[in-house]
Amino acid sequence: MKSFLTTLLLLSILGIQAQSPQPPATSAEDRLAGFEQRRQLMDASLVAKVPFQSVGPTIFSGRIVDLAVNPQDPTIFYVAYASGGLWKTVNNGNSFTPIFDHEMVMTIGDIEVDWTNEVIWVGTGENNSSRSSYSGVGMYKSTDDGQTWQYLGLPESHHIGRIILHPTNPNTVWVGVLGHLYSPNKERGVYKTTDGGKSWTQSLFVNENSGVIDLVIDPQDPNTLYAATWEKTRRAWDFVESGNGTGIHKTVDGGTNWTRMTTEKSGFPTGKGAGRIGLDITQSGKKTVLFAVIDNYDRRPEEEEQEGEELSKDDFREISKEDFLAIEEKDLESFLRSNRFPRAYSATKVRAMVEDGSIQPNALTEYLEDANSLLFDTPVIGAEVYRSDNGGKKWKKTHEEFLDDLFYSYGYYFGQIRVSHRDVNKLYVLGVPMVRSDDGGAKWKSLNSENAHGDHHALWVSPKRDGHLILGNDGGLNISYDDGETWFKCNSPAVGQFYTVNVDMAKPYHIYGGLQDNGVWEGPKTYEHSRRWHSNGKYPYQSILGGDGMQVEIDTRDNETVYTGFQFGNYFRIHKTKGSRKRITPRHELGERPLRWNWQSPIHLSRHNQDILYMGANKLFRSFDQGDHFEAISEDLTNGGRKGDVAFGTLATIHESPLKFGLIYTGSDDGFIHVSEDGGHSWDRVSDDLPKDMWISRVQASAHKEGRVFVSLNGYRWDDFSAYVYRSEDYGRNWTRIGTNLPAEPVNVIKEDPVNPELLYVGTDHGTYISLNMGATFMAIGSKVPATPVHDLVIHTRDKELILGTHGRSFYVADISPLQQMTAEFLASSLHLFELEAIQNSGFWGRQFSTWREPFDPEIDLTCYAKAGGEAMLSLADSEGNVLKEWSETLSKGLNYFTYDLSIPEDAAQSLYKPKEGEKEKLDAADNEKYYLPVGNYIIRLKQGEASTETNLKIKK
């Protein structure tokens, strides 16, 4: 096995660009001001009341980061999601209630509950350092079970590693602050409060890149705590996951002074290879025992190659031409096939290419190596478990063999260890999978099962009942009562972390999305959460691909042909009904540098001819035959990549103008926007006047004017949370910044309405905003939608609905037909009632089908626009103008929504009743004692002051 340092030299395949200065991180003051701005944009919004319907799915849930379980009654517990908020169950996970939906952020790093005093503590900002680990703003506390929250500061913490409550003093709390993810900062370390969070003191600080990832408290002495610090440096192109700042520190005076326990003589790994550490502590008799799991980034000793071993890519790195040609053809053929070289490259052909000098032998190594391969192939030691019986002075590794296939080379995503408090020799380590040891860590077994996801982050081990476990992972919540041998799933909340969303044109249409670590799913927009599928076996949503689900395009000519994929450009053409699947990802040629594929590689299906598919690596590819064959239609459209172990210098967004075939825009993760007006024959870079080095999160060509284009830039990977949105009227040659009143929230997507050219939609890390004046100003929409990241959105052109793809709360759908009518002329009107669809009369209205069921009470939704708020009167009249019913409503400025149950007073009903021969002379009331409108035409009028408006209501047979 070659050394990692040798492998790093090959990163020149990514190109090495001069690095510009790092943009400054957004200050906490600006972020807090942004939250107030968000509130103001909602309070003043004309569309705050637009109702959004959660349409699931729920079955796969989302990433759980922490659990807090009632020690007296473990059927009551709280579940914290990475970006889906905080939820409570009182029935052992059978159902949940969200209680942290509308604060500044929904991302959570850790929670603790003071069960005696009924106080909930929330540390915001996920402590996993993944691609979508959102930044928090510090600490929150609730004393009324989440009905209200008090913000407690630490705004520059960004990511909270752990919270520790004093066992007897409710006002004393310690917090481990991990700090910024993408930038250095001094506000890291351990913070302590002795006044319930009113003030904080920083008591442990290592350096600007080392924060505290874990904390434990001695069960016998609350003044003794242990803190695990973790040094890391993450950038968009590279992640250094270890460093000298990593270590375990101890205090014996409640956090006033700290001593580093992990030294070179302690037996615990130190130095540049020391990665993330997880801690747990227990009592064994009178002795306190510490356990730690570390992601050891030191390199493994090189293994000597054994005679007869299969060829590996390292064998070709420095091999001579003569030695290469001496390799047996069958061995070379085996290597080519096992490494998925295209079939065109047979052993015979490759030998001939080397022999005639068309390629060098090391081209076989270079063909396979890019930043993605380095993410998974690094020969690090990986997970190790250590034990200390003397307060952290000396540590001993519990096992002799490597703990392979647990942390891999992305231990930044894991790092939790738990010990049973009934048996000091029973340990659990969370990774991929979760493993358990029953002998103090010498031997381990996997606890994965068919009903539990693979990536694990949170575990509660019952202190009272052996084998009772509650587990949180990327797939939600699992509970076991037999120590992990079997699990049941508790996934009723809709907390899916979708990266993308798209729709087809079926009736009813289906929604498609790719999401974090749970594949690609599709299901009907009519979905309503129900447990009925437990009995009929038919869950409305279906999985169509695994992995981390990415972008989806649907051929609407049949609504069956789907293009989608998983991370790093692995895409397929799928036929839903036939079940066929064909890999379509274009490959580079032998002798060329590998293509660079974004984590979420973009695809785009041409609206001019749906046989034409575009796909973006660092170049743009186009297929004229549904992905069977691709050709590159550009050179490198990025800044060329950077040295690092994360794929970078890639295309992130593609869009072809719906008005002109061949008018194509691309945006890259390193800040480049290109346009081609001739189908890819020539390209112009049009981003030079925009902020540098930003991720181009979306480029959107207008459907109303050929030269108009919108873009959003995202500074998340610099900890820059500014909202960057721009419009061009001349194909990107000149840009105008729009949305200048948007709060400091990274923008993930901008879309133009297909009907109203002035109407724009923007999705940010905290919600959705719309503009009614082409971006001059924005307002927030949907006050009831949780403040979760909106990664993507799409407008269904036929059904006039907006679908949000959230990264934390699955899909939301809203009727936007009223918004599409809100032109400048419309907004000048004082009052407007929107049209109603005809309603079919039913004998079920008011009927009670069983003693044990409520009567069926129909209702229709009425929507109106009011230029000013205030009281208004509604009246219902028949076709001749006779008033049948009147009632009042309180209106707000903007769109208003209220319901009418189709009932009328008895005298009005009798006046409309025209009995036929043989029928009763008088109309009977329904089972619920109400009288309902018969078949006919009616008028609903709305009056506010001097202004009035009306609309027709038709009840049909």
Side-chain angles (χ1 to χ4, degrees):
M1 186 179 291
K2 298 292 183 181
S3 73
F4 180 72
L5 295 176
T6 301
T7 304
L8 275 179
L9 295 176
L10 295 172
L11 282 174
S12 59
I13 60 177
L14 298 177
I16 303 175
Q17 301 295 327
Q19 297 184 15
S20 55
Q22 177 164 333
T26 301
S27 68
E29 290 78 10
D30 286 345
R31 295 184 70 201
L32 293 170
F35 180 39
E36 291 305 314
Q37 191 172 356
R38 186 201 317 168
R39 285 176 163 173
Q40 293 169 14
L41 290 178
M42 188 65 78
D43 291 342
S45 175
L46 302 179
V47 294
K49 291 186 176 180
V50 170
F52 281 80
Q53 179 68 34
S54 173
V55 293
T58 66
I59 190 168
F60 43 72
S61 191
R63 184 163 69 253
I64 291 173
V65 294
D66 199 28
L67 305 160
V69 182
N70 189 326
Q72 305 305 319
D73 182 359
T75 66
I76 300 173
F77 56 90
Y78 297 87
V79 180
Y81 290 87
S83 56
L86 181 63
W87 297 69
K88 182 183 181 181
T89 179
V90 296
N91 53 23
N92 205 34
N94 207 32
S95 64
F96 290 85
T97 302
I99 58 173
F100 196 71
D101 277 6
H102 299 285
E103 302 308 314
M104 180 175 170
V105 296
M106 287 180 63
T107 175
I108 298 175
D110 195 47
I111 58 171
E112 278 293 339
V113 178
D114 177 352
W115 296 98
T116 301
N117 298 289
E118 299 182 339
V119 178
I120 309 170
W121 295 78
V122 171
T124 61
E126 182 185 359
N127 57 35
N128 295 317
S129 298
S130 72
R131 294 167 179 82
S132 55
S133 293
Y134 293 97
S135 299
V137 289
M139 296 292 298
Y140 285 83
K141 181 171 75 171
S142 175
T143 57
D144 55 11
D145 205 24
Q147 296 181 54
T148 60
W149 292 91
Q150 179 185 0
Y151 177 58
L152 301 178
L154 300 184
E156 289 287 8
S157 59
H158 280 211
H159 301 271
I160 298 292
R162 189 71 71 197
I163 304 168
I164 296 293
L165 307 183
H166 193 285
T168 58
N169 185 346
N171 288 319
T172 298
V173 179
W174 297 268
V175 174
V177 170
L178 189 55
H180 293 192
L181 178 54
Y182 284 97
S183 57
N185 73 307
K186 297 178 180 179
E187 297 84 359
R188 305 178 191 260
V190 175
Y191 285 78
K192 180 181 180 180
T193 180
T194 56
D195 54 14
K198 295 177 184 177
S199 62
W200 298 91
T201 301
Q202 185 183 25
S203 64
L204 172 63
F205 173 75
V206 176
N207 61 52
E208 292 189 355
N209 289 307
S210 300
V212 171
I213 185 62
D214 214 346
L215 269 172
V216 292
I217 188 168
D218 191 316
Q220 298 298 310
D221 179 11
N223 284 315
T224 299
L225 295 92
Y226 300 85
T229 57
W230 176 26
E231 180 165 340
K232 59 180 174 53
T233 306
R234 179 149 205 168
R235 299 294 180 264
W237 59 91
D238 192 30
F239 193 1
V240 179
E241 302 169 35
S242 59
N244 291 317
T246 297
I248 299 173
H249 306 255
K250 180 179 181 179
T251 179
V252 294
D253 55 13
T256 302
N257 298 285
W258 293 86
T259 301
R260 179 168 178 144
M261 307 304 294
T262 50
T263 63
E264 291 184 2
K265 296 180 179 180
S266 68
F268 196 87
T270 60
K272 292 183 178 181
R276 178 172 173 171
I277 296 173
L279 299 173
D280 204 1
I281 191 169
T282 191
Q283 203 71 21
S284 178
K286 295 182 179 180
K287 182 172 60 178
T288 297
V289 181
L290 270 170
F291 287 95
V293 60
I294 183 171
D295 178 28
N296 191 335
Y297 244 69
D298 285 331
R299 310 305 162 203
R300 298 187 182 191
E302 290 192 16
E303 299 175 357
E304 292 189 14
E305 293 186 11
Q306 301 296 318
E307 193 73 28
E309 279 191 352
E310 291 187 0
L311 294 168
S312 73
K313 60 182 172 59
D314 287 325
D315 291 322
F316 302 99
R317 196 179 303 282
E318 298 173 355
I319 193 172
S320 68
K321 179 177 179 179
E322 292 71 22
D323 288 343
F324 176 87
L325 295 175
I327 295 173
E328 291 192 24
E329 189 162 310
K330 65 179 180 63
D331 294 334
L332 181 58
E333 185 69 27
S334 176
F335 167 80
L336 294 170
R337 300 289 73 82
S338 63
N339 285 278
R340 292 175 54 204
F341 278 74
R343 287 285 175 182
Y345 295 116
S346 64
T348 302
K349 180 174 181 178
V350 171
R351 286 171 61 87
M353 293 174 72
V354 171
E355 197 160 17
D356 66 19
S358 343
I359 62 170
Q360 297 299 312
N362 64 3
L364 295 177
T365 304
E366 293 175 350
Y367 186 86
L368 297 172
E369 284 200 318
D370 56 15
N372 300 343
S373 67
L374 291 176
L375 178 64
F376 297 101
D377 294 347
T378 52
V380 298
I381 292 173
E384 291 184 309
V385 176
Y386 288 82
R387 171 174 172 161
S388 175
D389 292 279
N390 59 359
K393 296 177 183 176
K394 294 292 182 180
W395 296 84
K396 183 178 181 181
K397 191 167 67 170
T398 67
H399 50 96
E400 294 182 2
E401 303 296 328
F402 290 118
L403 294 182
D404 282 329
D405 301 327
L406 184 62
F407 282 3
Y408 297 88
S409 57
Y410 44 101
Y412 62 85
Y413 198 52
F414 306 106
Q416 305 290 338
I417 185 170
R418 296 291 178 268
V419 55
S420 168
H421 297 291
R422 297 171 60 87
D423 181 356
V424 72
N425 289 311
K426 183 177 287 187
L427 307 174
Y428 306 83
V429 173
L430 281 62
V432 185
M434 181 172 76
V435 294
R436 188 187 81 215
S437 174
D438 298 321
D439 58 5
K443 301 295 181 183
W444 299 84
K445 65 173 290 185
S446 169
L447 298 185
N448 263 21
S449 76
E450 71 278 3
N451 201 33
H453 195 280
D455 295 25
H456 303 287
H457 305 287
L459 180 68
W460 174 81
V461 182
S462 173
K464 296 183 178 181
R465 173 173 174 169
D466 284 335
H468 182 192
L469 308 174
I470 304 179
L471 172 67
N473 49 51
D474 278 11
L477 186 76
N478 294 95
I479 299 178
S480 175
Y481 286 95
D482 55 13
D483 221 6
E485 297 300 320
T486 57
W487 300 91
F488 64 87
K489 194 178 289 289
C490 306
N491 280 357
S492 58
V495 287
Q497 294 180 297
F498 280 93
Y499 290 115
T500 63
V501 61
N502 212 339
V503 292
D504 64 18
M505 296 299 286
K507 292 185 178 181
Y509 69 82
H510 278 216
I511 306 174
Y512 301 72
L515 63 159
Q516 193 273 328
D517 213 18
N518 282 287
V520 181
W521 290 69
E522 63 94 15
K525 77 104 174 183
T526 53
Y527 170 91
E528 292 183 11
H529 176 62
S530 167
R531 293 180 175 83
R532 189 175 301 278
W533 69 274
H534 288 206
S535 57
N536 64 27
K538 297 179 181 178
Y539 191 73
Y541 280 84
Q542 298 295 315
S543 171
I544 57 177
L545 194 68
D548 282 78
M550 296 300 157
Q551 297 190 9
V552 187
E553 288 281 7
I554 308 98
D555 190 330
T556 57
R557 296 173 297 187
D558 63 3
N559 297 310
E560 292 285 343
T561 303
V562 179
Y563 302 88
T564 190
F566 56 85
Q567 60 266 46
F568 299 131
N570 292 284
Y571 273 79
F572 303 83
R573 185 180 69 235
I574 297 169
H575 194 282
K576 293 193 299 178
T577 302
K578 295 178 182 177
S580 60
R581 178 185 301 176
K582 179 179 179 180
R583 181 181 173 86
I584 60 171
T585 303
R587 302 289 298 272
H588 58 293
E589 298 296 331
L590 186 59
E592 294 180 342
R593 299 299 188 186
L595 297 167
R596 296 190 299 273
W597 296 101
N598 195 282
W599 173 261
Q600 187 190 141
S601 297
I603 58 173
H604 179 72
L605 196 62
S606 176
R607 279 24 176 192
H608 303 282
N609 179 343
Q610 293 187 77
D611 286 340
I612 299 175
L613 179 68
Y614 298 96
M615 190 169 179
N618 53 308
K619 304 175 181 180
L620 184 65
F621 291 84
R622 181 178 59 204
S623 170
F624 285 112
D625 55 8
Q626 298 184 308
D628 283 341
H629 303 88
F630 278 96
E631 64 169 339
I633 60 171
S634 77
E635 296 299 323
D636 195 331
L637 295 176
T638 77
N639 199 25
R642 284 189 177 184
K643 183 178 179 180
D645 62 1
V646 179
F648 189 70
T650 67
L651 294 184
T653 177
I654 308 165
H655 199 234
E656 180 185 52
S657 168
L659 300 178
K660 179 184 177 182
F661 173 71
L663 173 55
I664 311 164
Y665 296 89
T666 67
S668 70
D669 58 12
D670 55 7
F672 279 7
I673 300 170
H674 284 85
V675 60
S676 175
E677 299 180 52
D678 54 14
H681 289 289
S682 61
W683 292 88
D684 292 321
R685 194 172 75 215
V686 293
S687 52
D688 289 355
D689 293 332
L690 295 175
K692 298 293 187 290
D693 301 320
M694 296 296 163
W695 194 290
I696 310 301
S697 58
R698 197 61 53 104
V699 57
Q700 183 78 12
S702 173
H704 300 287
K705 182 181 177 183
E706 184 181 300
R708 181 176 297 158
V709 59
F710 302 89
V711 298
S712 58
L713 284 61
N714 190 302
Y716 162 83
R717 291 162 185 83
W718 296 112
D719 288 327
D720 179 353
F721 304 122
S722 304
Y724 297 111
V725 188
Y726 295 84
R727 183 187 75 238
S728 173
E729 298 290 334
D730 55 5
Y731 305 92
R733 293 180 179 88
N734 295 282
W735 295 98
T736 299
R737 187 167 184 178
I738 60 177
T740 54
N741 71 324
L742 286 168
E745 299 172 5
V747 177
N748 301 311
V749 57
I750 181 169
K751 290 285 183 75
E752 175 195 60
D753 188 80
V755 174
N756 183 346
E758 298 285 327
L759 177 56
L760 303 178
Y761 308 86
V762 158
T764 76
D765 280 357
H766 300 294
T768 311
Y769 302 85
I770 69 136
S771 173
L772 297 173
N773 51 21
M774 209 183 296
T777 58
F778 278 82
M779 61 187 75
I781 184 172
S783 61
K784 301 298 183 183
V785 178
T788 190
V790 175
H791 256 236
D792 197 12
L793 56 86
V794 64
I795 299 98
H796 199 281
T797 54
R798 182 193 67 215
D799 290 19
K800 302 182 186 301
E801 291 184 328
L802 171 66
I803 304 94
L804 305 181
T806 76
H807 199 77
R809 294 300 276 271
S810 296
F811 295 136
Y812 282 84
V813 174
D815 175 15
I816 56 167
S817 55
L819 277 69
Q820 293 179 330
Q821 300 176 49
M822 295 175 73
T823 61
E825 181 181 1
F826 174 94
L827 294 172
S829 62
S830 298
L831 208 59
H832 180 81
L833 263 176
F834 291 91
E835 293 182 4
L836 294 169
E837 293 185 1
I839 299 165
Q840 186 172 328
N841 183 267
S842 172
F844 291 163
W845 292 355
R847 183 175 173 184
Q848 186 169 21
F849 294 91
S850 164
T851 304
W852 311 109
R853 298 178 63 182
E854 293 296 320
F856 174 69
D857 204 7
E859 64 179 26
I860 61 170
D861 295 319
L862 299 174
T863 306
C864 79
Y865 166 77
K867 193 173 185 179
E871 291 296 315
M873 290 299 299
L874 277 159
S875 64
L876 174 75
D878 61 20
S879 58
E880 297 177 0
N882 300 308
V883 175
L884 305 174
K885 182 175 183 176
E886 291 183 309
W887 69 101
S888 66
E889 293 283 353
T890 301
L891 304 182
S892 301
K893 182 180 179 180
L895 293 180
N896 292 266
Y897 298 82
F898 35 90
T899 59
Y900 167 46
D901 66 0
L902 301 175
S903 72
I904 53 176
E906 180 180 0
D907 58 347
Q910 299 298 348
S911 70
L912 294 173
Y913 181 56
K914 308 297 182 187
K916 297 178 181 179
E917 186 177 348
E919 291 183 336
K920 294 180 180 180
E921 293 185 5
K922 190 175 182 180
L923 184 67
D924 291 333
D927 293 347
N928 61 358
E929 303 300 324
K930 289 184 180 181
Y931 294 86
Y932 291 96
L933 286 173
V935 172
N937 295 309
Y938 303 92
I939 300 169
I940 297 180
R941 292 190 178 94
L942 177 66
K943 183 175 175 59
Q944 183 189 40
E946 298 299 317
S948 65
T949 180
E950 63 182 44
T951 191
N952 295 320
L953 171 62
K954 181 177 182 179
I955 309 292
K956 61 182 181 180
K957 291 183 179 180

